[in-house]
DNA sequence: TAGATTGTTAATCGATTAACAATC
DNA sequence: TAGATTGTTAATCGATTAACAATC
């Protein structure tokens, strides 16, 4: 059974990578794997993988390794991929559309139940599979459907005004693609996806040939 | 003068955030700031900020603090934002378009010089400001224009086949939006932007109300 | 001069790696 | 039984925080 609470965020961030890796193995019919081989193939160390997994339970078997399917299921359960969180998306530009398409194609445990835009009538939504609401309908929609996550694909000045309001409307997680640096708190969990920051970091690495691993 | 080399990637990743923060101060006419106030406003500690900056030089003044404009310029120079790296983008779907638009609007030290798609004739490129080439033209284009960074907005199976080839064509940095987990090396710097991983991490946090800071 | 705040060293904390007994 | 590989404890490494002398 999955034990969590006060597992470090560093470990949590590796779980989706393990999950992806194991899914690929499963797809290729691989049934068992050792921490050593996971390490080799993912560019980590065997120790680290065993430490990570043992934060949640002893999923392996001495002398054998890990059963791919069982471990994959355990991680899915730790990440709550089988449960569902409802999400709304604000700002249906190219990026918003890309994310909406991505989310309908992938199982990440989060599903989109509403898309909003300042000018819904200007959005070309053919093939998107959603109809788009105006931001004026946001309050009413949230009160009725109680989404938990908001995906921000709006400019940072708009985002600044929106965050506090979303909190009041019951949003407890923000996937933030605006350049606003949103601070995480107990009440509001945040993943800041600052594209520009990542690109500048890449630029630095390319210029300096600096070493060091990266993730997300 | 900026001293770098073997500065940890953890520190480097904070530089773009500092830069953004200082740019905003500058926009608001703020001329000086202390590490303590930066810390308060960014959710870090004053110690950490002083440690970070002193990896590159002593930019402050005792009893006074930091001059906003000077510090901002120093960080821009450390990040090489004034120099330019040429980049190409592969896969002009919604995401590719979003990134192309973003990059023409922002100064990140990286500029797009070519967009490629498997089916360039199917891409609606009105208003994009680029004309889109077929992937068959990639070799020729790279040999002529020698871009250094490739932005991958193609499916992961396509990405898998493409990475080694890009390396041979002189690409030394990859901004990877495919779900393929690309390993970084001395020859090839990588920023993996795994959207799904980030969303799953957010889901975990929302479910578990787990604490811990995040960035990108 | 007195007050403020840096640069920098030392202490602490957390994450990774190594080692090995347990056991399949 | 012998070999392999886990789970787990201990050692190391790196990053953050605290403290304080230097100095503007």
């Amino acid at each position: 059974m999955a034990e969590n609470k006060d597992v470090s965020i560093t470990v949590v961030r590796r779980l989706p990578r393990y999950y992806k890796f194991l899914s690929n193995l499963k797809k290729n019919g691989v049934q068992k794997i050792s921490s050593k081989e996971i390490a080799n193939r993912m560019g980590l160390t065997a120790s680290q993988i065993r430490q990570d997994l043992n934060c949640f339970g002893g999923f392996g078997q001495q002398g054998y390794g890990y059963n791919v399917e069982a471990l994959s299921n355990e991680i899915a359960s730790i990440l709550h991929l089988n449960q569902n969180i409802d999400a709304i998306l604000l700002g249906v530009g190219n990026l918003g559309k890309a994310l909406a398409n991505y989310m309908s194609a992938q199982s990440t445990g989060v599903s989109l139940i509403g898309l909003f835009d300042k000018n819904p009538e200007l959005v070309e939504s053919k093939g998107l599979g959603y109809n788009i609401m105006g931001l004026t309908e946001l309050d009413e929609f949230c009160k009725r459907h109680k989404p938990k996550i908001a995906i921000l694909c709006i400019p940072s000045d708009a985002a600044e005004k929106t965050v506090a309001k979303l909190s009041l409307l019951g949003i407890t997680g923000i996937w933030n693609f605006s350049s606003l640096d949103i601070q995480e708190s107990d009440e509001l969990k945040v993943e800041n996806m600052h594209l520009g920051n990542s690109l500048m970091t890449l630029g630095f690495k390319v210029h300096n040939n600096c070493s060091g691993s990266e993730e997300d």
Side-chain angles (χ1 to χ4, degrees), chain A residues 140-153:
Chain A
E140 181 58 22
F141 184 92
C142 288
K143 279 167 196 159
R144 186 169 310 160
H145 298 286
K146 307 204 184 317
K148 287 291 158 220
I149 285 181
I151 302 169
L152 297 190
C153 303

Side-chain angles (χ1 to χ4, degrees), chain A residues 3 10 12 18 22 24 37 73 94 97 99 107 125 135 141 145 148 173 175 185 200:
Chain A
E3 184 52 57
T10 327
V12 173
Y18 293 144
L22 291 164
N24 281 338
E37 195 178 348
N73 290 339
N94 283 315
K97 284 179 195 168
L99 298 176
S107 350
S125 64
L135 280 169
F141 184 92
H145 298 286
K148 287 291 158 220
W175 202 23
S185 69
M200 289 185 213

Side-chain angles (χ1 to χ4, degrees), chain A residues 89-141:
Chain A
L89 185 151
L90 311 188
V92 194
N94 283 315
L95 181 60
K97 284 179 195 168
L99 298 176
N101 286 330
Y102 178 84
M103 290 173 72
S104 18
Q106 306 288 319
S107 350
T108 57
V110 181
S111 22
L112 267 185
I113 61 167
L115 277 70
F116 296 85
D117 198 274
K118 198 173 58 165
N119 298 121
E121 71 282 3
L122 299 181
V123 176
E124 169 57 78
S125 64
K126 165 172 62 83
L128 242 192
Y130 294 93
N131 76 317
I132 294 151
M133 291 167 271
L135 280 169
T136 47
E137 302 172 64
L138 184 62
D139 286 46
E140 181 58 22
F141 184 92

Side-chain angles (χ1 to χ4, degrees), chain A residues 42-197:
Chain A
M42 292 187 68
L44 302 168
T45 67
S47 258
Q48 184 168 51
I49 286 156
R50 295 205 298 278
Q51 290 277 26
D52 284 356
L53 296 177
N54 281 97
C55 292
F56 302 97
F59 303 138
Q61 201 176 348
Q62 278 104 329
Y64 174 84
Y66 298 87
N67 178 287
V68 171
E69 173 135 34
L71 183 56
S72 168
N73 290 339
E74 288 289 356
I75 295 177
S77 137
I78 294 164
L79 289 170
H80 306 271
L81 299 186
N82 25 11
Q83 286 154 60
N84 187 259
I85 308 181
D86 285 336
I88 54 174
L89 185 151
L90 311 188
V92 194
N94 283 315
L95 181 60
K97 284 179 195 168
L99 298 176
N101 286 330
Y102 178 84
M103 290 173 72
S104 18
Q106 306 288 319
S107 350
T108 57
V110 181
S111 22
L112 267 185
I113 61 167
L115 277 70
F116 296 85
D117 198 274
K118 198 173 58 165
N119 298 121
E121 71 282 3
L122 299 181
V123 176
E124 169 57 78
S125 64
K126 165 172 62 83
L128 242 192
Y130 294 93
N131 76 317
I132 294 151
M133 291 167 271
L135 280 169
T136 47
E137 302 172 64
L138 184 62
D139 286 46
E140 181 58 22
F141 184 92
C142 288
K143 279 167 196 159
R144 186 169 310 160
H145 298 286
K146 307 204 184 317
K148 287 291 158 220
I149 285 181
I151 302 169
L152 297 190
C153 303
I154 55 182
S156 65
D157 49 352
E160 197 156 15
K161 293 170 198 146
T162 307
V163 173
K165 182 191 181 160
L166 287 169
S167 250
L168 291 174
L169 287 169
I171 293 292
T172 58
I174 291 195
W175 202 23
N176 177 35
F177 289 84
S178 86
S179 72
L180 179 69
D181 213 354
I182 304 177
Q183 230 56 45
E184 188 165 84
S185 69
D186 266 2
E187 299 74 39
L188 188 66
K189 300 303 164 189
V190 180
E191 282 281 299
N192 282 314
M193 297 299 281
H194 290 149
L195 300 176
N197 292 12

